[in-house]
Amino acid sequence: MKPISMESYIKKHSQSNPHSNPESIRKALKEAVKSKKNGETCSTCGSTIWALGSAFAGKECFTCITGDTDSSDDYEIREVCW
Ligand SMILES: [Zn+2]
C-alpha cells in the first residue's frame, strides 16, 4: 500500500466528496488507526485491518472491504502502513 498522511488523505477525500465533513472523517480515521495499532483484526477473516477503509466501511481488511487482493495502488495512513 502507499503511505499517505491523515491530513493529505482528508484533503483528497474532501475534494472528491465535497459534501463530506472533514471533521467526522478525521474522527473516524483516528479511531481506525488506533484500532489497527491496538492489533484489531478483520471481523470477517481475522487479517490485519485496513485503517483507511475501516474508517468508512467498518473494521475489515483490504481484501474483505474491496474484494481485491492487490493493494499496491491503494492508500493506507502513514503511521499504520505496514
Ligand atoms: Zn478480512
Side-chain angles (χ1 to χ4, degrees), residues 3 5 20 26-27 44 48 64-65:
S5 75
S20 63
R26 185 175 292 113
K27 206 171 151 211
T44 304
T48 305
C64 290
I65 291 172

Side-chain angles (χ1 to χ4, degrees), residues 41-48 59-65:
T41 51
C42 174
S43 56
T44 304
C45 75
S47 298
T48 305
K59 284 168 191 148
E60 290 191 310
C61 67
F62 178 82
T63 305
C64 290
I65 291 172

Side-chain angles (χ1 to χ4, degrees), residues 8-20:
S8 315
Y9 180 75
I10 292 168
K11 203 180 269 179
K12 219 177 167 50
H13 185 88
S14 303
Q15 275 163 2
S16 42
N17 304 274
H19 299 295
S20 63

